[in-house]
Amino acid sequence: MSLQQRGGALKLAQTGNSIPQLLRGSRRLACPKFKQLGKPTDVRTLVAAPQEVPSKEKPVEVQQNDGSYHFFSFADEKPAKKIEPASKNEPASKNEPFAWTKQWYPVAVLADMDTSKPHLVRMLGGKYVLWCDSKGEWHCQSDRCPHRLAPMSEGKIVGDQLQCSYHGWRFQGDGVSSCLSTQATPKTHDAKAAHPKSCLKSFPIELRHGLIWVWPDESPDRFVVAAGTELAPEAPPEQGKDGFTWHTLLPWFVRVFPYSMETLFDNALDPSHVPWSHHGVIGNRDGVTPIELKVLEPVSPKGLKTEYFTLGGESTGNSYSNKDEPVDPATLHVQFRAPHTLVYDTFRQDGTRAKLLAYALPTKPGECMVTAQTWDTRPSPLQKLPFSIPTWFYHKVFMAGGDGDTVLLKEQEMSISELPGGRRAFHTPTKADVGVQMWRQWTERFITGTSCGPYQLASASEHESAFLEKHHMPREKALDRYHHHVEKCPACSNAMETFKKSTWVAGVAAAVFAQLSLLSALNLIGPAAAAASGAAVATSLALGPLTVPLHMVWAAVFAVASAVCVKLALVLNDNARSYIFQDYVHAHI
């Protein structure tokens, strides 16, 4: 039965959009708001703007006695959003529960999935199995067999059923147990198979935008509620909309990171880190200009939105220029849409646009998965080439980009866990920190002090093991490209295997050419062998005033060919190894 059929009764049900009440056993905690410190004196103000306006209409910044900022614009005579300072006597907004399980989450790229086997999926700390039946229909179910709790992701697909590899129990896509294998006699088989405890729980699933989306809620009305809930607040841009033709710069890219979703958005909503953390890949730390984030949408259950002006590099969200004159100036909108969406929307002065869309999936404690794609209304120089650039090339660039701050964020998360105040230890006094301040406000309202955090389905032991594992995580594991991306990406895994095979071929060729060079130098092949057979051949080569034996010329040619093959083998081997681990040392970049 399709999701639309299961949700057909939506119009007859009273659903509403109000936020659910707090779960039993949870409690409200009063947390002070984040403190906005005084205006720094060592930060240069960026006065460039997309369009010049009379000075009397420019926004004026007024620092209040309490340390907060007001931004006034004489054009509209309305104060912008005020970032309040913390006060010991003034509590922050009360914690509000967020229904983390009653949301759609993208769990995989459809084109990357192998339909011949089941796949393990982690969401919110829970375990699920994703599989496709013989009709091409995808299903998501609990990863624990109801019989002996064996992982169904280690099972086998048999026609339209998923078979457990422990005792052979089979289940249909809707969760109904259809076979108890040899565990039940024919007389009692039907009754035991129909028992509610013999069923494998199923979850709503949708295929959209090239992704597989899952609704991980276990409520009895989950199919009805899921059918009436918007799939994603932000989606890929539509071709032709507003007269734009969008070019895909980066195909869907998926990577797992060894830190929580909370840390991810701490980082992603701070565009000023890009030229520093990702220098040489998607940023440039030379000639950085300050970023002044402005509030476009205040913190709400739906998320938040900020804006800033940049002189260049806007498609990656940084603000830098290596020239005296502005380069490709643009205005960027950076927004977070609850519970998992990040959008960088670029509006250039020449009328073109660029967009980066990323979905963050909280997989298990201390870990999250990002699914991202980028578009632009003007094609990149690579897309103008007469041949298409392979997907693995773009993925490799973004793997390098992800390496830039992975170790920094992993260590930052460890420092947070060791400090009494946690993330309250952040010192965020500049206007570039507005996004981080707003994100902290959102987390204090919907994560901190509530029982509805993004990893709520994980057990206490998993939270503890994740904490201990991160404290002993070496760089090789933190920057592990193979298990975090390559393993589940057909384009990159095939490229890695191709580089491995090419390395072997180049190595064999180098050995062959080296052997031929040696034999030629000993005059055992070439002209000597031909002369021994009675053939009339030249045995020397005149190079101006010099006469060189021909066998030595061939020996030199074979030696050069061998050296070229050795160099090629080393390059190919480095490329193959880069799909497993590539260190990123900022001091050397």
Side-chain angles (χ1 to χ4, degrees), residues 165-180:
S165 297
Y166 197 14
H167 295 92
W169 282 36
R170 296 183 186 179
F171 304 91
Q172 296 175 354
D174 58 2
V176 178
S177 175
S178 60
C179 176
L180 292 178

Side-chain angles (χ1 to χ4, degrees), residues 56-113:
K56 66 177 182 179
E57 294 184 0
K58 290 185 178 181
V60 177
E61 174 190 327
V62 180
Q63 184 174 359
Q64 307 298 306
N65 294 330
D66 59 358
S68 64
Y69 289 123
H70 273 298
F71 295 92
F72 292 99
S73 174
F74 291 100
D76 53 18
E77 297 182 354
K78 293 181 180 180
K81 178 67 179 176
K82 179 181 178 182
I83 306 293
E84 296 285 355
S87 173
K88 296 181 179 179
N89 300 323
E90 180 185 359
S93 301
K94 293 183 178 180
N95 301 135
E96 303 174 28
F98 188 85
W100 289 92
T101 58
K102 297 182 184 295
Q103 309 288 338
W104 285 105
Y105 293 93
V107 297
V109 178
L110 183 60
D112 294 346
M113 298 297 286

Side-chain angles (χ1 to χ4, degrees), residues 119-131:
H119 302 268
L120 171 65
V121 171
R122 295 298 302 263
M123 281 184 293
L124 310 179
K127 295 182 179 181
Y128 305 83
V129 59
L130 202 64
W131 61 284

Side-chain angles (χ1 to χ4, degrees), residues 294-375:
K294 298 180 181 179
V295 180
L296 289 187
E297 294 181 12
V299 175
S300 70
K302 294 183 179 179
L304 57 94
K305 188 174 183 180
T306 61
E307 176 192 60
Y308 72 96
F309 178 73
T310 176
L311 297 177
E314 70 284 350
S315 63
T316 56
N318 59 56
S319 176
Y320 68 88
S321 174
N322 290 324
K323 299 181 181 180
D324 296 332
E325 298 297 327
V327 178
D328 209 10
T331 299
L332 266 83
H333 292 173
V334 183
Q335 57 183 323
F336 160 70
R337 289 291 176 259
H340 51 54
T341 306
L342 173 74
V343 183
Y344 271 68
D345 214 344
T346 304
F347 300 85
R348 302 189 187 95
Q349 283 192 338
D350 61 3
T352 59
R353 288 181 60 187
K355 188 172 184 177
L356 181 148
L357 176 63
Y359 299 114
L361 175 67
T363 52
K364 62 180 182 180
E367 182 183 283
C368 66
M369 184 181 80
V370 175
T371 304
Q373 192 169 13
T374 60
W375 302 266

Side-chain angles (χ1 to χ4, degrees), residues 60 95 115 118 129 137 148-149 193-194 218 232 245 272 277 338 377 452 458 460 474 519:
V60 177
N95 301 135
T115 59
V129 59
E137 185 175 351
R148 296 278 296 279
L149 306 181
E218 295 187 4
T245 300
S272 63
S277 298
T377 57
C452 305
L519 295 176

Side-chain angles (χ1 to χ4, degrees), residues 257-260 363-368 413 455 463 466 470 473:
F257 291 99
Y259 45 79
S260 67
T363 52
K364 62 180 182 180
E367 182 183 283
C368 66
E413 199 165 69
Y455 299 96
H463 282 279
K470 194 165 298 184
M473 181 181 292

